[in-house]
Amino acid sequence: MKRLAGAALGILTAIGGFVDIGDLVTNAVVGSRFGMSLAWVVVLGVVGICLFASMAGRVTAVSGRATFEIVRERLGPRAGGANLVASFAVTLLTLTAEIGGIALALHLASSVEPRLWIPVAGLAVWLVLWRAKFTIMENVAGLMGLLLVGFAVALFLLGPDWGELMRQAVPPSPPGTEHPATYWYYAVALFGAAMTPYEVFFFSSGGVEEKWTARDLTTNRINVLIGFPLGGTLSLAIAACAAVVFLPMGIEVSSLSQVVLPVAQAGGVLLLAVVILGIVAATFGAALETALSTGYSLAQYLGWSWGKFRRPARAARFHLTMIVAVLVGVGILMTSVDPIMVTEMSVVFSAVALPLTYVPILVVANDPEYMGDRVNGRFLNALGSVYLVIVVAAAAAAIPLMIATGAGS
Amino acid sequence: MSDALSGARSATRTALLTVRLLDEGRVTGPVADTSLLDQLRALDDAERALTTLVPPDAASSEDRTTGLDAVGPATDAVVAAREWVAARAGGDLDGAPGLPPSDAALVADLEAATAQLDDALAEAGGP
């Protein structure tokens, strides 16, 4: 039971990766326009993130150090720097979107303009980063985010034709009303969101925060095998709700307020309230995760003292980085930029940055100097190599598809 | 043109779904208000796309005029729906000219607006 409770890190990481503000809307958009025909991308993303997060967690458990520190040391400042710049930029964009997501969720609950909520959301994120302990933060945000299971409950209450949903999913093909390029644009966006770089950096740094050792390899596996498949399942439930309610009505989702309407239709006000609370918690958790990831990646690259397990005065530059990142995010949002557009951009750019993140992890997980006899086996390396090919293809296709389809419009 | 009309039709159908859910007590006032506000933005985007379009021929110009004629009533119906939501939430809107006379009249207006958008979309060659 204690080990299962220890899966909070995996759950929080997965909620950031699979059901943050961008994913909530993107999954519903995909469900309303393509039915379940892109479900295979979520499955592909879950397997990929499980593979690389487990490698990153194993590196942390065996070496006692976060992945980014070792990447910088093993590959040198230039390769590490390229990795840092790409992942930091994507993470900052995502943090901006998440703070906007908190504001949009609170707007949904209160009707008060999102611009009034944005500074409140930024302040709340900073206060938690400053004052709350890592374990409390991950347990509360991760477990509250589980309220999004309301989407799965709503799907069952809607009483869908399961055979029809399966027919949409297998064999996967774009509906006749949509252009194949748009289909592939959303496939790349969903894949980029599932494997977004900050997930592995947050996960491995979280392992250091929790003081993992080689004896915690089972905890690492439990986190990976519970957290990420759970995130993927929630992601599919959101898409399925949209496919059941919106696809037959010809409604295309473009806002967060539409995402919750199937839940209201299925479960009424009570289930709606549960899901809105879950959305606030999930976006808040994702904002904490991305803000911490900005601090982790920069501090680990530059060799600064870092970690929530240290008092802020002992990791001043780490905390300063997070404060600046939150302020930049709030500043961008106060210009009235659409948070959903920001997050859609961030998942596409995250697809572009994927090779810079995952190639170094595969290299480090095979280095006996750090891993001793815990290096990757042949099967993991073969699967990792297959995923690197997919990751490179997604990275190469992301920008051309975005331009060709007008960002999926 | 069909993208803009398709977006407008989607917004009107969402507004109709929102009104029905609120009428059945399945959605809260703030969620309904936010949803309708988002649909007004979508209708605004559709109208802007249509008004800024330079039609390449006379047929397209006619389709654009038909489309604009359909988006206008749809916007009016969604604006009225927001007033209806505000009135249900206790707003002092008795006798307000934009307030629909009854729940059924509001639903009928939204259904008529959706049908008009369907026709305009079919004329423009959309799905």
Side-chain angles (χ1 to χ4, degrees), chain A residues 28-37 164-165 168 175 177-178 239-253, chain B residues 13:
Chain A
V29 170
V30 163
S32 71
R33 290 177 63 175
F34 302 95
M36 296 306 287
S37 64
E164 173 56 25
L165 288 179
Q168 289 171 7
T177 49
E178 297 286 349
C241 281
V244 170
V245 173
F246 295 136
L247 188 62
M249 295 172 78
I251 291 175
E252 291 176 13
V253 172
Chain B
R13 285 180 177 174

PDB file of all heavy atoms in Angstrom, chain A residues 28-37 164-165 168 175 177-178 239-253, chain B residues 13:
ATOM      1  N   ALA A  28     -10.222  16.760 -26.698  1.00  0.00           N
ATOM      2  CA  ALA A  28     -11.634  16.975 -27.042  1.00  0.00           C
ATOM      3  C   ALA A  28     -11.775  17.406 -28.509  1.00  0.00           C
ATOM      4  O   ALA A  28     -12.714  16.989 -29.197  1.00  0.00           O
ATOM      5  CB  ALA A  28     -12.251  18.011 -26.118  1.00  0.00           C
ATOM      6  N   VAL A  29     -10.840  18.239 -28.989  1.00  0.00           N
ATOM      7  CA  VAL A  29     -10.858  18.642 -30.407  1.00  0.00           C
ATOM      8  C   VAL A  29     -10.743  17.394 -31.287  1.00  0.00           C
ATOM      9  O   VAL A  29     -11.514  17.199 -32.237  1.00  0.00           O
ATOM     10  CB  VAL A  29      -9.689  19.611 -30.726  1.00  0.00           C
ATOM     11  CG1 VAL A  29      -9.559  19.821 -32.227  1.00  0.00           C
ATOM     12  CG2 VAL A  29      -9.873  20.936 -30.021  1.00  0.00           C
ATOM     13  N   VAL A  30      -9.777  16.550 -30.929  1.00  0.00           N
ATOM     14  CA  VAL A  30      -9.539  15.333 -31.711  1.00  0.00           C
ATOM     15  C   VAL A  30     -10.776  14.433 -31.685  1.00  0.00           C
ATOM     16  O   VAL A  30     -11.209  13.919 -32.723  1.00  0.00           O
ATOM     17  CB  VAL A  30      -8.292  14.599 -31.147  1.00  0.00           C
ATOM     18  CG1 VAL A  30      -8.239  13.163 -31.615  1.00  0.00           C
ATOM     19  CG2 VAL A  30      -7.023  15.342 -31.560  1.00  0.00           C
ATOM     20  N   GLY A  31     -11.379  14.257 -30.511  1.00  0.00           N
ATOM     21  CA  GLY A  31     -12.578  13.419 -30.405  1.00  0.00           C
ATOM     22  C   GLY A  31     -13.724  13.962 -31.228  1.00  0.00           C
ATOM     23  O   GLY A  31     -14.438  13.207 -31.892  1.00  0.00           O
ATOM     24  N   SER A  32     -13.900  15.302 -31.203  1.00  0.00           N
ATOM     25  CA  SER A  32     -15.040  15.896 -31.913  1.00  0.00           C
ATOM     26  C   SER A  32     -14.841  15.892 -33.429  1.00  0.00           C
ATOM     27  O   SER A  32     -15.808  15.906 -34.178  1.00  0.00           O
ATOM     28  CB  SER A  32     -15.286  17.327 -31.418  1.00  0.00           C
ATOM     29  OG  SER A  32     -14.257  18.194 -31.854  1.00  0.00           O
ATOM     30  N   ARG A  33     -13.589  15.882 -33.889  1.00  0.00           N
ATOM     31  CA  ARG A  33     -13.348  15.950 -35.332  1.00  0.00           C
ATOM     32  C   ARG A  33     -12.957  14.611 -35.950  1.00  0.00           C
ATOM     33  O   ARG A  33     -13.259  14.346 -37.106  1.00  0.00           O
ATOM     34  CB  ARG A  33     -12.229  16.971 -35.615  1.00  0.00           C
ATOM     35  CG  ARG A  33     -12.689  18.388 -35.364  1.00  0.00           C
ATOM     36  CD  ARG A  33     -11.580  19.391 -35.559  1.00  0.00           C
ATOM     37  NE  ARG A  33     -11.070  19.438 -36.915  1.00  0.00           N
ATOM     38  CZ  ARG A  33     -10.157  20.310 -37.340  1.00  0.00           C
ATOM     39  NH1 ARG A  33      -9.683  21.219 -36.487  1.00  0.00           N
ATOM     40  NH2 ARG A  33      -9.734  20.301 -38.573  1.00  0.00           N
ATOM     41  N   PHE A  34     -12.228  13.795 -35.174  1.00  0.00           N
ATOM     42  CA  PHE A  34     -11.710  12.543 -35.746  1.00  0.00           C
ATOM     43  C   PHE A  34     -12.257  11.304 -35.039  1.00  0.00           C
ATOM     44  O   PHE A  34     -11.811  10.199 -35.326  1.00  0.00           O
ATOM     45  CB  PHE A  34     -10.175  12.523 -35.651  1.00  0.00           C
ATOM     46  CG  PHE A  34      -9.508  13.682 -36.335  1.00  0.00           C
ATOM     47  CD1 PHE A  34      -9.148  14.816 -35.618  1.00  0.00           C
ATOM     48  CD2 PHE A  34      -9.256  13.647 -37.690  1.00  0.00           C
ATOM     49  CE1 PHE A  34      -8.544  15.891 -36.246  1.00  0.00           C
ATOM     50  CE2 PHE A  34      -8.656  14.714 -38.328  1.00  0.00           C
ATOM     51  CZ  PHE A  34      -8.291  15.854 -37.610  1.00  0.00           C
ATOM     52  N   GLY A  35     -13.189  11.477 -34.098  1.00  0.00           N
ATOM     53  CA  GLY A  35     -13.661  10.332 -33.324  1.00  0.00           C
ATOM     54  C   GLY A  35     -12.495   9.720 -32.559  1.00  0.00           C
ATOM     55  O   GLY A  35     -11.647  10.439 -32.022  1.00  0.00           O
ATOM     56  N   MET A  36     -12.431   8.396 -32.544  1.00  0.00           N
ATOM     57  CA  MET A  36     -11.344   7.712 -31.808  1.00  0.00           C
ATOM     58  C   MET A  36     -10.224   7.282 -32.754  1.00  0.00           C
ATOM     59  O   MET A  36      -9.391   6.458 -32.399  1.00  0.00           O
ATOM     60  CB  MET A  36     -11.904   6.493 -31.068  1.00  0.00           C
ATOM     61  CG  MET A  36     -12.912   6.830 -29.985  1.00  0.00           C
ATOM     62  SD  MET A  36     -12.272   8.018 -28.783  1.00  0.00           S
ATOM     63  CE  MET A  36     -11.112   7.005 -27.879  1.00  0.00           C
ATOM     64  N   SER A  37     -10.199   7.854 -33.965  1.00  0.00           N
ATOM     65  CA  SER A  37      -9.232   7.369 -34.957  1.00  0.00           C
ATOM     66  C   SER A  37      -7.791   7.760 -34.621  1.00  0.00           C
ATOM     67  O   SER A  37      -6.863   7.275 -35.269  1.00  0.00           O
ATOM     68  CB  SER A  37      -9.597   7.874 -36.351  1.00  0.00           C
ATOM     69  OG  SER A  37      -9.501   9.278 -36.409  1.00  0.00           O
ATOM     70  N   GLU A 164     -19.028   0.991 -32.033  1.00  0.00           N
ATOM     71  CA  GLU A 164     -18.781   2.111 -32.952  1.00  0.00           C
ATOM     72  C   GLU A 164     -17.464   2.814 -32.577  1.00  0.00           C
ATOM     73  O   GLU A 164     -16.675   3.172 -33.455  1.00  0.00           O
ATOM     74  CB  GLU A 164     -19.967   3.086 -32.897  1.00  0.00           C
ATOM     75  CG  GLU A 164     -19.796   4.390 -33.677  1.00  0.00           C
ATOM     76  CD  GLU A 164     -19.461   4.195 -35.143  1.00  0.00           C
ATOM     77  OE1 GLU A 164     -19.798   3.145 -35.706  1.00  0.00           O
ATOM     78  OE2 GLU A 164     -18.818   5.101 -35.719  1.00  0.00           O
ATOM     79  N   LEU A 165     -17.236   2.993 -31.269  1.00  0.00           N
ATOM     80  CA  LEU A 165     -15.973   3.631 -30.837  1.00  0.00           C
ATOM     81  C   LEU A 165     -14.778   2.784 -31.265  1.00  0.00           C
ATOM     82  O   LEU A 165     -13.755   3.313 -31.709  1.00  0.00           O
ATOM     83  CB  LEU A 165     -15.964   3.836 -29.313  1.00  0.00           C
ATOM     84  CG  LEU A 165     -16.886   4.928 -28.760  1.00  0.00           C
ATOM     85  CD1 LEU A 165     -16.784   5.000 -27.245  1.00  0.00           C
ATOM     86  CD2 LEU A 165     -16.566   6.298 -29.352  1.00  0.00           C
ATOM     87  N   GLN A 168     -14.111   3.176 -34.921  1.00  0.00           N
ATOM     88  CA  GLN A 168     -13.400   4.433 -35.228  1.00  0.00           C
ATOM     89  C   GLN A 168     -11.895   4.284 -34.951  1.00  0.00           C
ATOM     90  O   GLN A 168     -11.065   4.853 -35.647  1.00  0.00           O
ATOM     91  CB  GLN A 168     -13.946   5.577 -34.364  1.00  0.00           C
ATOM     92  CG  GLN A 168     -15.346   6.023 -34.744  1.00  0.00           C
ATOM     93  CD  GLN A 168     -15.923   6.993 -33.733  1.00  0.00           C
ATOM     94  OE1 GLN A 168     -15.251   7.450 -32.816  1.00  0.00           O
ATOM     95  NE2 GLN A 168     -17.195   7.322 -33.891  1.00  0.00           N
ATOM     96  N   PRO A 175     -11.346  10.640 -40.929  1.00  0.00           N
ATOM     97  CA  PRO A 175     -12.689  10.704 -41.517  1.00  0.00           C
ATOM     98  C   PRO A 175     -12.644  11.425 -42.866  1.00  0.00           C
ATOM     99  O   PRO A 175     -11.748  12.254 -43.095  1.00  0.00           O
ATOM    100  CB  PRO A 175     -13.491  11.523 -40.500  1.00  0.00           C
ATOM    101  CG  PRO A 175     -12.641  11.675 -39.305  1.00  0.00           C
ATOM    102  CD  PRO A 175     -11.237  11.409 -39.697  1.00  0.00           C
ATOM    103  N   THR A 177     -14.300  13.788 -43.965  1.00  0.00           N
ATOM    104  CA  THR A 177     -14.497  15.243 -43.913  1.00  0.00           C
ATOM    105  C   THR A 177     -13.201  15.989 -43.577  1.00  0.00           C
ATOM    106  O   THR A 177     -13.162  17.212 -43.651  1.00  0.00           O
ATOM    107  CB  THR A 177     -15.553  15.598 -42.858  1.00  0.00           C
ATOM    108  OG1 THR A 177     -15.215  14.921 -41.647  1.00  0.00           O
ATOM    109  CG2 THR A 177     -16.944  15.177 -43.307  1.00  0.00           C
ATOM    110  N   GLU A 178     -12.172  15.275 -43.147  1.00  0.00           N
ATOM    111  CA  GLU A 178     -10.929  15.937 -42.734  1.00  0.00           C
ATOM    112  C   GLU A 178      -9.789  15.628 -43.705  1.00  0.00           C
ATOM    113  O   GLU A 178      -9.698  14.518 -44.233  1.00  0.00           O
ATOM    114  CB  GLU A 178     -10.512  15.472 -41.320  1.00  0.00           C
ATOM    115  CG  GLU A 178     -11.498  15.836 -40.226  1.00  0.00           C
ATOM    116  CD  GLU A 178     -11.480  17.326 -39.861  1.00  0.00           C
ATOM    117  OE1 GLU A 178     -10.566  18.044 -40.313  1.00  0.00           O
ATOM    118  OE2 GLU A 178     -12.382  17.746 -39.122  1.00  0.00           O
ATOM    119  N   ALA A 239     -11.369  12.253 -25.080  1.00  0.00           N
ATOM    120  CA  ALA A 239     -11.615  12.178 -26.531  1.00  0.00           C
ATOM    121  C   ALA A 239     -12.900  11.407 -26.815  1.00  0.00           C
ATOM    122  O   ALA A 239     -13.693  11.803 -27.688  1.00  0.00           O
ATOM    123  CB  ALA A 239     -10.430  11.512 -27.218  1.00  0.00           C
ATOM    124  N   ALA A 240     -13.129  10.322 -26.066  1.00  0.00           N
ATOM    125  CA  ALA A 240     -14.313   9.496 -26.308  1.00  0.00           C
ATOM    126  C   ALA A 240     -15.597  10.259 -25.955  1.00  0.00           C
ATOM    127  O   ALA A 240     -16.588  10.167 -26.682  1.00  0.00           O
ATOM    128  CB  ALA A 240     -14.218   8.201 -25.502  1.00  0.00           C
ATOM    129  N   CYS A 241     -15.572  11.024 -24.857  1.00  0.00           N
ATOM    130  CA  CYS A 241     -16.751  11.829 -24.486  1.00  0.00           C
ATOM    131  C   CYS A 241     -17.097  12.798 -25.633  1.00  0.00           C
ATOM    132  O   CYS A 241     -18.268  12.949 -26.004  1.00  0.00           O
ATOM    133  CB  CYS A 241     -16.479  12.641 -23.213  1.00  0.00           C
ATOM    134  SG  CYS A 241     -16.627  11.685 -21.707  1.00  0.00           S
ATOM    135  N   ALA A 242     -16.061  13.428 -26.176  1.00  0.00           N
ATOM    136  CA  ALA A 242     -16.290  14.372 -27.282  1.00  0.00           C
ATOM    137  C   ALA A 242     -16.786  13.639 -28.524  1.00  0.00           C
ATOM    138  O   ALA A 242     -17.657  14.134 -29.251  1.00  0.00           O
ATOM    139  CB  ALA A 242     -15.005  15.139 -27.594  1.00  0.00           C
ATOM    140  N   ALA A 243     -16.231  12.444 -28.761  1.00  0.00           N
ATOM    141  CA  ALA A 243     -16.645  11.673 -29.940  1.00  0.00           C
ATOM    142  C   ALA A 243     -18.111  11.254 -29.831  1.00  0.00           C
ATOM    143  O   ALA A 243     -18.834  11.229 -30.823  1.00  0.00           O
ATOM    144  CB  ALA A 243     -15.750  10.440 -30.098  1.00  0.00           C
ATOM    145  N   VAL A 244     -18.551  10.933 -28.612  1.00  0.00           N
ATOM    146  CA  VAL A 244     -19.927  10.454 -28.418  1.00  0.00           C
ATOM    147  C   VAL A 244     -20.930  11.606 -28.532  1.00  0.00           C
ATOM    148  O   VAL A 244     -21.972  11.478 -29.167  1.00  0.00           O
ATOM    149  CB  VAL A 244     -20.056   9.764 -27.034  1.00  0.00           C
ATOM    150  CG1 VAL A 244     -21.517   9.475 -26.698  1.00  0.00           C
ATOM    151  CG2 VAL A 244     -19.247   8.480 -27.015  1.00  0.00           C
ATOM    152  N   VAL A 245     -20.596  12.750 -27.934  1.00  0.00           N
ATOM    153  CA  VAL A 245     -21.572  13.853 -27.881  1.00  0.00           C
ATOM    154  C   VAL A 245     -21.437  14.800 -29.081  1.00  0.00           C
ATOM    155  O   VAL A 245     -22.430  15.167 -29.708  1.00  0.00           O
ATOM    156  CB  VAL A 245     -21.430  14.637 -26.552  1.00  0.00           C
ATOM    157  CG1 VAL A 245     -22.321  15.882 -26.544  1.00  0.00           C
ATOM    158  CG2 VAL A 245     -21.780  13.733 -25.382  1.00  0.00           C
ATOM    159  N   PHE A 246     -20.220  15.207 -29.395  1.00  0.00           N
ATOM    160  CA  PHE A 246     -20.037  16.282 -30.382  1.00  0.00           C
ATOM    161  C   PHE A 246     -19.968  15.803 -31.835  1.00  0.00           C
ATOM    162  O   PHE A 246     -20.459  16.484 -32.730  1.00  0.00           O
ATOM    163  CB  PHE A 246     -18.779  17.100 -30.066  1.00  0.00           C
ATOM    164  CG  PHE A 246     -18.860  17.850 -28.769  1.00  0.00           C
ATOM    165  CD1 PHE A 246     -17.787  17.866 -27.884  1.00  0.00           C
ATOM    166  CD2 PHE A 246     -19.998  18.554 -28.417  1.00  0.00           C
ATOM    167  CE1 PHE A 246     -17.859  18.562 -26.685  1.00  0.00           C
ATOM    168  CE2 PHE A 246     -20.084  19.245 -27.223  1.00  0.00           C
ATOM    169  CZ  PHE A 246     -19.008  19.252 -26.352  1.00  0.00           C
ATOM    170  N   LEU A 247     -19.316  14.661 -32.058  1.00  0.00           N
ATOM    171  CA  LEU A 247     -19.119  14.208 -33.446  1.00  0.00           C
ATOM    172  C   LEU A 247     -20.457  14.053 -34.190  1.00  0.00           C
ATOM    173  O   LEU A 247     -20.607  14.584 -35.299  1.00  0.00           O
ATOM    174  CB  LEU A 247     -18.309  12.900 -33.468  1.00  0.00           C
ATOM    175  CG  LEU A 247     -17.843  12.392 -34.830  1.00  0.00           C
ATOM    176  CD1 LEU A 247     -16.906  13.384 -35.508  1.00  0.00           C
ATOM    177  CD2 LEU A 247     -17.147  11.042 -34.711  1.00  0.00           C
ATOM    178  N   PRO A 248     -21.481  13.389 -33.593  1.00  0.00           N
ATOM    179  CA  PRO A 248     -22.755  13.264 -34.329  1.00  0.00           C
ATOM    180  C   PRO A 248     -23.458  14.614 -34.528  1.00  0.00           C
ATOM    181  O   PRO A 248     -24.233  14.772 -35.460  1.00  0.00           O
ATOM    182  CB  PRO A 248     -23.607  12.367 -33.415  1.00  0.00           C
ATOM    183  CG  PRO A 248     -22.666  11.756 -32.452  1.00  0.00           C
ATOM    184  CD  PRO A 248     -21.520  12.693 -32.306  1.00  0.00           C
ATOM    185  N   MET A 249     -23.191  15.589 -33.641  1.00  0.00           N
ATOM    186  CA  MET A 249     -23.865  16.891 -33.752  1.00  0.00           C
ATOM    187  C   MET A 249     -23.114  17.856 -34.668  1.00  0.00           C
ATOM    188  O   MET A 249     -23.574  18.973 -34.904  1.00  0.00           O
ATOM    189  CB  MET A 249     -23.997  17.534 -32.357  1.00  0.00           C
ATOM    190  CG  MET A 249     -24.885  16.765 -31.403  1.00  0.00           C
ATOM    191  SD  MET A 249     -24.833  17.437 -29.729  1.00  0.00           S
ATOM    192  CE  MET A 249     -25.900  18.835 -29.914  1.00  0.00           C
ATOM    193  N   GLY A 250     -21.937  17.451 -35.137  1.00  0.00           N
ATOM    194  CA  GLY A 250     -21.143  18.336 -36.002  1.00  0.00           C
ATOM    195  C   GLY A 250     -20.550  19.514 -35.255  1.00  0.00           C
ATOM    196  O   GLY A 250     -20.298  20.568 -35.847  1.00  0.00           O
ATOM    197  N   ILE A 251     -20.305  19.358 -33.943  1.00  0.00           N
ATOM    198  CA  ILE A 251     -19.705  20.437 -33.149  1.00  0.00           C
ATOM    199  C   ILE A 251     -18.194  20.229 -33.089  1.00  0.00           C
ATOM    200  O   ILE A 251     -17.728  19.137 -32.764  1.00  0.00           O
ATOM    201  CB  ILE A 251     -20.296  20.460 -31.717  1.00  0.00           C
ATOM    202  CG1 ILE A 251     -21.757  20.893 -31.756  1.00  0.00           C
ATOM    203  CG2 ILE A 251     -19.474  21.366 -30.802  1.00  0.00           C
ATOM    204  CD1 ILE A 251     -22.463  20.841 -30.407  1.00  0.00           C
ATOM    205  N   GLU A 252     -17.454  21.290 -33.428  1.00  0.00           N
ATOM    206  CA  GLU A 252     -15.993  21.239 -33.319  1.00  0.00           C
ATOM    207  C   GLU A 252     -15.590  21.977 -32.060  1.00  0.00           C
ATOM    208  O   GLU A 252     -15.951  23.138 -31.878  1.00  0.00           O
ATOM    209  CB  GLU A 252     -15.341  21.918 -34.531  1.00  0.00           C
ATOM    210  CG  GLU A 252     -15.529  21.140 -35.815  1.00  0.00           C
ATOM    211  CD  GLU A 252     -14.948  21.885 -37.014  1.00  0.00           C
ATOM    212  OE1 GLU A 252     -14.208  22.862 -36.817  1.00  0.00           O
ATOM    213  OE2 GLU A 252     -15.268  21.482 -38.139  1.00  0.00           O
ATOM    214  N   VAL A 253     -14.827  21.313 -31.198  1.00  0.00           N
ATOM    215  CA  VAL A 253     -14.437  21.924 -29.919  1.00  0.00           C
ATOM    216  C   VAL A 253     -13.361  22.976 -30.152  1.00  0.00           C
ATOM    217  O   VAL A 253     -12.415  22.756 -30.921  1.00  0.00           O
ATOM    218  CB  VAL A 253     -13.925  20.843 -28.950  1.00  0.00           C
ATOM    219  CG1 VAL A 253     -13.328  21.469 -27.703  1.00  0.00           C
ATOM    220  CG2 VAL A 253     -15.049  19.901 -28.572  1.00  0.00           C
TER     221      VAL A 253
ATOM    222  N   ARG B  13     -24.773  25.344 -32.519  1.00  0.00           N
ATOM    223  CA  ARG B  13     -25.198  24.044 -31.974  1.00  0.00           C
ATOM    224  C   ARG B  13     -24.728  23.895 -30.524  1.00  0.00           C
ATOM    225  O   ARG B  13     -25.435  23.310 -29.699  1.00  0.00           O
ATOM    226  CB  ARG B  13     -24.644  22.910 -32.844  1.00  0.00           C
ATOM    227  CG  ARG B  13     -25.400  22.794 -34.152  1.00  0.00           C
ATOM    228  CD  ARG B  13     -24.864  21.672 -35.010  1.00  0.00           C
ATOM    229  NE  ARG B  13     -25.652  21.540 -36.231  1.00  0.00           N
ATOM    230  CZ  ARG B  13     -25.340  20.721 -37.225  1.00  0.00           C
ATOM    231  NH1 ARG B  13     -24.270  19.961 -37.148  1.00  0.00           N
ATOM    232  NH2 ARG B  13     -26.101  20.657 -38.297  1.00  0.00           N
TER     233      ARG B  13
END
